[in-house]
Amino acid sequence: EVVGVLGGERGGEIASSSAEGDVTGEERVGGLVGRNDFEIASSSAEGNVTGEQEVGGLVGRSIGKIASSSAAGDITGDVQVGGLVGNNRGKIESSAAAGDVTGDLSVGGLVGEGLVEIRNSHYNIDAVEINGERMVTIGGLFEEQYQDWEESGRSLDVGDYDSLTESDGRVELSDVQAVRDALGFIQDPSIDWRLVADIDLTEASPELYLPSLAGAFDGNGHTITVDIDLPAVSQVGAIGYNESGGPITDLTAEGDVTGGEFYVGGLVGWNFGSIESSAAEIDVTGDTSVGGLVGVNSGEIASAAAEGGVTGEDFVGGLVGNNFGGEIASSAAVGDVTGDSQVGGLVGGNQAEVASSFATGAVDGDSA
């Protein structure tokens, strides 16, 4: 079942269109269309959307492009539930969501589960409730910055924020306010980052981390401390989703991370880029694809380490939960690992190359 006001599955471009009214279905349910394979531009949906899997305010599942579009209305589902898109495997640009979201697994204010390119697209953390709470997920901005974005024609300038200073081609982060303001720019692959101090995010409310990262990140020998408890959110770590735009280098993450069903890591939830000379000293808890450093690695990891207990069900590893098309070299894990199937001291499931790496922690699982 694919359900939307303009039809379940559209075979072409949708432009300058709008939909009003409540929508109810089961799978791939959207306020505008259930599934988008092509392009949606300058369009909107307003109304409550209810379904089970892949449920979104505008589109249930998108593998095409969405640009300059929006959704407003409450979204309710079970798995992959988002204010704009339930399951995004395409591109989203300059778009917004403004409805409360309720779901069990893989929920988010903008997208329930989001991969590929999400650019300059947001929801208001202070106005949108996710499972009855304020949450930082992909695309979230705090109230003041969200209003800046809307009032400036959905654009932001780093230079307008005193907490974000530029030096030698990088934006420097020194405190909690800088991390809050960085949320408006981490989707931009042209912006690179540098830590210039250790930052403790454990007292931030709601739980604060970087849900996605498109540019390079130089930890500069510093540490980010997090306390993340988001059992309904996928792609969770000190950095939730790392694109291939630049390396994460010389960064340490400390604290505790609890995520939802998929892609939970101490440093990065899902890594498509590279991680070098970095570490996680974190206890990590999730369900599937759970790792002390990275939940799923589809990029490169070199000279990295993880120390801390890792607990999950399937694809659970002391360093990486699932090495899916990635490479691991000269890395180590020293924490204990507990899971059900595909459990390993270093890597839970491996479908790529691992070289010159080791693990020393105890492993407890039901199957290999």
Side-chain angles (χ1 to χ4, degrees):
E1 182 183 18
V2 186
V3 180
V5 170
L6 295 188
E9 183 173 352
R10 293 292 293 230
E13 180 179 346
I14 299 172
S16 302
S17 299
S18 62
E20 294 184 7
D22 298 342
V23 179
T24 301
E26 293 182 3
E27 296 185 4
R28 297 180 183 174
V29 185
L32 189 72
V33 295
R35 172 170 168 160
N36 170 48
D37 287 2
F38 294 90
E39 181 171 356
I40 296 172
S42 303
S43 296
S44 63
E46 184 174 349
N48 300 328
V49 181
T50 304
E52 294 180 3
Q53 184 169 350
E54 298 185 326
V55 185
L58 190 76
V59 178
R61 177 182 175 91
S62 180
I63 61 176
K65 181 178 180 180
I66 297 172
S68 302
S69 297
S70 61
D74 294 342
I75 316 303
T76 304
D78 295 329
V79 181
Q80 296 174 329
V81 188
L84 188 76
V85 178
N87 183 2
N88 178 62
R89 290 296 186 272
K91 299 180 180 181
I92 301 175
E93 298 178 355
S94 302
S95 296
D100 294 340
V101 179
T102 302
D104 296 325
L105 297 170
S106 297
V107 300
L110 186 76
V111 296
E113 190 173 305
L115 298 174
V116 195
E117 294 182 7
I118 299 176
R119 304 284 185 252
N120 192 41
S121 297
H122 301 292
Y123 73 95
N124 185 338
I125 295 167
D126 293 307
V128 169
E129 289 191 348
I130 301 173
N131 289 345
E133 301 178 13
R134 296 162 56 238
M135 291 185 190
V136 177
T137 63
I138 289 176
L141 299 181
F142 289 96
E143 172 77 25
E144 184 176 354
Q145 193 174 45
Y146 185 85
Q147 295 304 325
D148 289 346
W149 180 66
E150 285 282 27
E151 292 168 5
S152 300
R154 293 186 179 175
S155 67
L156 291 170
D157 187 335
V158 170
D160 291 337
Y161 296 89
D162 293 339
S163 68
L164 303 176
T165 58
E166 295 185 73
S167 177
D168 299 325
R170 291 181 183 263
V171 178
E172 297 183 336
L173 303 177
S174 61
D175 56 24
V176 174
Q177 186 60 49
V179 175
R180 288 169 59 97
D181 290 338
L183 297 180
F185 305 97
I186 54 176
Q187 297 175 349
D188 188 339
S190 70
I191 297 178
D192 296 331
W193 306 88
R194 179 187 294 114
L195 277 189
V196 293
D198 295 343
I199 302 179
D200 186 344
L201 301 177
T202 60
E203 297 301 319
S205 180
E207 290 101 332
L208 185 57
Y209 64 108
L210 298 177
S212 62
L213 179 67
F217 196 103
D218 177 11
N220 198 27
H222 290 291
T223 299
I224 292 179
T225 305
V226 297
D227 184 7
I228 302 169
D229 185 13
L230 297 172
V233 179
S234 295
Q235 296 161 233
V236 176
I239 297 169
Y241 172 52
N242 181 41
E243 293 189 29
S244 58
I248 297 172
T249 56
D250 205 15
L251 174 64
T252 298
E254 295 182 351
D256 294 280
V257 172
T258 296
E261 185 176 15
F262 299 111
Y263 326 132
V264 185
L267 185 68
V268 175
W270 192 322
N271 176 53
F272 275 91
S274 63
I275 299 172
E276 304 168 5
S277 303
S278 296
E281 300 171 7
I282 286 184
D283 290 332
V284 182
T285 303
D287 190 341
T288 302
S289 298
V290 186
L293 186 81
V294 172
V296 176
N297 179 48
S298 300
E300 300 177 358
I301 298 173
S303 302
E307 178 180 351
V310 182
T311 303
E313 295 188 7
D314 304 315
F315 295 99
V316 187
L319 187 78
V320 172
N322 189 4
N323 190 37
F324 184 72
E327 298 180 4
I328 301 171
S330 304
S331 297
V334 298
D336 295 342
V337 183
T338 302
D340 292 331
S341 66
Q342 301 285 339
V343 184
L346 186 73
V347 175
N350 182 51
Q351 303 170 59
E353 181 179 346
V354 179
S356 303
S357 300
F358 68 90
T360 62
V363 179
D364 183 1
D366 292 335
S367 64

Short mmCIF file of all heavy atoms in Angstrom, two decimals, residues 318-354:
data_model
loop_
_atom_site.label_atom_id
_atom_site.label_comp_id
_atom_site.label_asym_id
_atom_site.label_seq_id
_atom_site.Cartn_x
_atom_site.Cartn_y
_atom_site.Cartn_z
N GLY A 318 32.98 -4.46 19.08
CA GLY A 318 33.69 -3.55 19.98
C GLY A 318 34.15 -2.29 19.30
O GLY A 318 34.17 -1.21 19.91
N LEU A 319 34.52 -2.38 18.02
CA LEU A 319 34.92 -1.20 17.24
C LEU A 319 33.81 -0.79 16.28
O LEU A 319 33.39 0.36 16.28
CB LEU A 319 36.20 -1.48 16.47
CG LEU A 319 36.79 -0.27 15.74
CD1 LEU A 319 37.54 0.63 16.72
CD2 LEU A 319 37.73 -0.70 14.61
N VAL A 320 33.35 -1.74 15.47
CA VAL A 320 32.34 -1.48 14.44
C VAL A 320 31.28 -2.57 14.49
O VAL A 320 31.60 -3.77 14.53
CB VAL A 320 32.98 -1.43 13.04
CG1 VAL A 320 31.91 -1.35 11.95
CG2 VAL A 320 33.95 -0.26 12.92
N GLY A 321 30.01 -2.18 14.46
CA GLY A 321 28.94 -3.16 14.44
C GLY A 321 28.88 -3.93 13.14
O GLY A 321 28.85 -5.16 13.11
N ASN A 322 28.88 -3.19 12.01
CA ASN A 322 28.81 -3.81 10.70
C ASN A 322 29.75 -3.07 9.76
O ASN A 322 29.53 -1.89 9.45
CB ASN A 322 27.38 -3.76 10.16
CG ASN A 322 27.19 -4.57 8.89
OD1 ASN A 322 28.10 -5.25 8.43
ND2 ASN A 322 26.00 -4.52 8.33
N ASN A 323 30.82 -3.74 9.32
CA ASN A 323 31.74 -3.15 8.34
C ASN A 323 31.21 -3.45 6.96
O ASN A 323 31.54 -4.47 6.34
CB ASN A 323 33.15 -3.72 8.54
CG ASN A 323 34.19 -2.98 7.72
OD1 ASN A 323 34.12 -1.76 7.56
ND2 ASN A 323 35.16 -3.71 7.20
N PHE A 324 30.36 -2.57 6.47
CA PHE A 324 29.58 -2.79 5.26
C PHE A 324 30.19 -1.98 4.11
O PHE A 324 29.87 -0.82 3.91
CB PHE A 324 28.12 -2.38 5.51
CG PHE A 324 27.19 -2.65 4.38
CD1 PHE A 324 26.80 -3.94 4.08
CD2 PHE A 324 26.68 -1.61 3.61
CE1 PHE A 324 25.93 -4.19 3.03
CE2 PHE A 324 25.81 -1.85 2.57
CZ PHE A 324 25.43 -3.15 2.28
N GLY A 325 31.12 -2.59 3.39
CA GLY A 325 31.76 -1.92 2.27
C GLY A 325 32.85 -0.95 2.67
O GLY A 325 33.33 -0.17 1.86
N GLY A 326 33.25 -0.97 3.93
CA GLY A 326 34.27 -0.04 4.40
C GLY A 326 35.62 -0.71 4.60
O GLY A 326 35.78 -1.91 4.37
N GLU A 327 36.60 0.07 5.06
CA GLU A 327 37.93 -0.44 5.33
C GLU A 327 38.34 -0.04 6.74
O GLU A 327 38.08 1.07 7.19
CB GLU A 327 38.94 0.12 4.33
CG GLU A 327 38.67 -0.26 2.89
CD GLU A 327 39.69 0.33 1.93
OE1 GLU A 327 40.65 0.98 2.42
OE2 GLU A 327 39.54 0.15 0.72
N ILE A 328 38.99 -0.96 7.43
CA ILE A 328 39.49 -0.72 8.79
C ILE A 328 40.96 -1.11 8.82
O ILE A 328 41.33 -2.21 8.38
CB ILE A 328 38.71 -1.55 9.83
CG1 ILE A 328 37.22 -1.19 9.79
CG2 ILE A 328 39.29 -1.32 11.23
CD1 ILE A 328 36.36 -2.11 10.64
N ALA A 329 41.80 -0.22 9.36
CA ALA A 329 43.24 -0.51 9.44
C ALA A 329 43.81 0.05 10.72
O ALA A 329 43.40 1.12 11.18
CB ALA A 329 43.97 0.07 8.23
N SER A 330 44.75 -0.69 11.30
CA SER A 330 45.54 -0.22 12.45
C SER A 330 44.66 0.34 13.56
O SER A 330 44.91 1.41 14.09
CB SER A 330 46.55 0.85 11.99
OG SER A 330 47.37 0.34 10.96
N SER A 331 43.62 -0.42 13.93
CA SER A 331 42.66 0.04 14.94
C SER A 331 42.44 -1.03 15.99
O SER A 331 42.82 -2.19 15.80
CB SER A 331 41.35 0.44 14.27
OG SER A 331 41.55 1.54 13.38
N ALA A 332 41.81 -0.64 17.10
CA ALA A 332 41.67 -1.56 18.22
C ALA A 332 40.40 -1.31 19.01
O ALA A 332 39.88 -0.18 19.04
CB ALA A 332 42.88 -1.44 19.14
N ALA A 333 39.92 -2.37 19.67
CA ALA A 333 38.80 -2.26 20.60
C ALA A 333 39.15 -3.02 21.87
O ALA A 333 39.67 -4.14 21.80
CB ALA A 333 37.53 -2.83 19.98
N VAL A 334 38.87 -2.44 23.03
CA VAL A 334 39.25 -3.08 24.29
C VAL A 334 38.06 -3.22 25.25
O VAL A 334 38.25 -3.60 26.40
CB VAL A 334 40.39 -2.29 24.98
CG1 VAL A 334 41.63 -2.28 24.11
CG2 VAL A 334 39.97 -0.86 25.30
N GLY A 335 36.86 -2.96 24.78
CA GLY A 335 35.68 -3.07 25.63
C GLY A 335 34.98 -4.41 25.49
O GLY A 335 35.15 -5.13 24.49
N ASP A 336 34.16 -4.76 26.48
CA ASP A 336 33.37 -5.98 26.42
C ASP A 336 32.17 -5.79 25.49
O ASP A 336 31.59 -4.71 25.42
CB ASP A 336 32.88 -6.37 27.82
CG ASP A 336 34.02 -6.71 28.76
OD1 ASP A 336 35.13 -6.98 28.26
OD2 ASP A 336 33.80 -6.70 29.98
N VAL A 337 31.80 -6.88 24.79
CA VAL A 337 30.74 -6.82 23.78
C VAL A 337 29.69 -7.88 24.08
O VAL A 337 30.02 -9.05 24.30
CB VAL A 337 31.31 -7.04 22.37
CG1 VAL A 337 30.21 -6.92 21.32
CG2 VAL A 337 32.43 -6.06 22.08
N THR A 338 28.41 -7.48 24.06
CA THR A 338 27.32 -8.41 24.34
C THR A 338 26.25 -8.26 23.27
O THR A 338 25.81 -7.14 22.95
CB THR A 338 26.69 -8.12 25.71
OG1 THR A 338 27.69 -8.21 26.72
CG2 THR A 338 25.58 -9.11 26.02
N GLY A 339 25.82 -9.39 22.69
CA GLY A 339 24.78 -9.36 21.67
C GLY A 339 24.20 -10.73 21.45
O GLY A 339 24.48 -11.68 22.21
N ASP A 340 23.41 -10.88 20.38
CA ASP A 340 22.79 -12.16 20.05
C ASP A 340 23.47 -12.80 18.85
O ASP A 340 24.07 -13.86 18.96
CB ASP A 340 21.29 -11.97 19.78
CG ASP A 340 20.53 -11.59 21.04
OD1 ASP A 340 20.97 -11.97 22.14
OD2 ASP A 340 19.51 -10.90 20.92
N SER A 341 23.39 -12.18 17.69
CA SER A 341 23.99 -12.75 16.49
C SER A 341 24.93 -11.75 15.82
O SER A 341 24.76 -10.54 15.98
CB SER A 341 22.90 -13.18 15.49
OG SER A 341 22.20 -12.05 15.00
N GLN A 342 25.92 -12.27 15.08
CA GLN A 342 26.93 -11.44 14.42
C GLN A 342 27.60 -10.52 15.46
O GLN A 342 27.48 -9.30 15.41
CB GLN A 342 26.30 -10.61 13.30
CG GLN A 342 25.62 -11.42 12.22
CD GLN A 342 26.58 -12.09 11.27
OE1 GLN A 342 27.73 -11.70 11.14
NE2 GLN A 342 26.12 -13.14 10.62
N VAL A 343 28.25 -11.14 16.42
CA VAL A 343 28.87 -10.42 17.53
C VAL A 343 30.37 -10.66 17.51
O VAL A 343 30.82 -11.80 17.39
CB VAL A 343 28.28 -10.90 18.88
CG1 VAL A 343 28.85 -10.08 20.04
CG2 VAL A 343 26.76 -10.82 18.87
N GLY A 344 31.16 -9.60 17.60
CA GLY A 344 32.60 -9.75 17.59
C GLY A 344 33.31 -8.72 18.45
O GLY A 344 32.82 -7.61 18.65
N GLY A 345 34.47 -9.10 18.97
CA GLY A 345 35.23 -8.17 19.80
C GLY A 345 35.68 -6.95 19.03
O GLY A 345 35.73 -5.84 19.57
N LEU A 346 36.01 -7.13 17.75
CA LEU A 346 36.42 -6.01 16.91
C LEU A 346 35.27 -5.56 16.00
O LEU A 346 34.89 -4.39 16.01
CB LEU A 346 37.62 -6.39 16.06
CG LEU A 346 38.24 -5.25 15.24
CD1 LEU A 346 38.99 -4.28 16.14
CD2 LEU A 346 39.17 -5.79 14.15
N VAL A 347 34.73 -6.50 15.22
CA VAL A 347 33.67 -6.20 14.25
C VAL A 347 32.58 -7.26 14.38
O VAL A 347 32.87 -8.46 14.48
CB VAL A 347 34.22 -6.19 12.81
CG1 VAL A 347 33.11 -6.01 11.80
CG2 VAL A 347 35.26 -5.10 12.65
N GLY A 348 31.32 -6.83 14.38
CA GLY A 348 30.23 -7.78 14.43
C GLY A 348 30.03 -8.51 13.12
O GLY A 348 30.15 -9.73 13.03
N GLY A 349 29.73 -7.77 12.07
CA GLY A 349 29.59 -8.33 10.73
C GLY A 349 30.59 -7.67 9.81
O GLY A 349 30.70 -6.43 9.79
N ASN A 350 31.32 -8.44 9.04
CA ASN A 350 32.35 -7.88 8.16
C ASN A 350 32.12 -8.30 6.72
O ASN A 350 32.06 -9.49 6.40
CB ASN A 350 33.75 -8.32 8.59
CG ASN A 350 34.82 -7.71 7.71
OD1 ASN A 350 34.83 -6.49 7.51
ND2 ASN A 350 35.69 -8.53 7.16
N GLN A 351 31.99 -7.31 5.84
CA GLN A 351 31.81 -7.56 4.41
C GLN A 351 32.84 -6.78 3.60
O GLN A 351 32.60 -6.41 2.46
CB GLN A 351 30.39 -7.15 3.99
CG GLN A 351 29.31 -7.88 4.79
CD GLN A 351 27.93 -7.33 4.54
OE1 GLN A 351 27.46 -7.32 3.41
NE2 GLN A 351 27.28 -6.87 5.59
N ALA A 352 33.98 -6.50 4.22
CA ALA A 352 35.01 -5.72 3.54
C ALA A 352 36.37 -6.03 4.17
O ALA A 352 36.58 -7.11 4.73
CB ALA A 352 34.68 -4.23 3.61
N GLU A 353 37.28 -5.08 4.13
CA GLU A 353 38.66 -5.33 4.51
C GLU A 353 38.97 -4.82 5.91
O GLU A 353 38.64 -3.70 6.28
CB GLU A 353 39.61 -4.63 3.52
CG GLU A 353 41.08 -4.85 3.82
CD GLU A 353 41.98 -4.18 2.81
OE1 GLU A 353 41.48 -3.78 1.74
OE2 GLU A 353 43.19 -4.06 3.08
N VAL A 354 39.63 -5.69 6.71
CA VAL A 354 40.14 -5.32 8.03
C VAL A 354 41.60 -5.73 8.08
O VAL A 354 41.94 -6.88 7.79
CB VAL A 354 39.36 -6.02 9.16
CG1 VAL A 354 39.95 -5.63 10.51
CG2 VAL A 354 37.88 -5.68 9.09
#
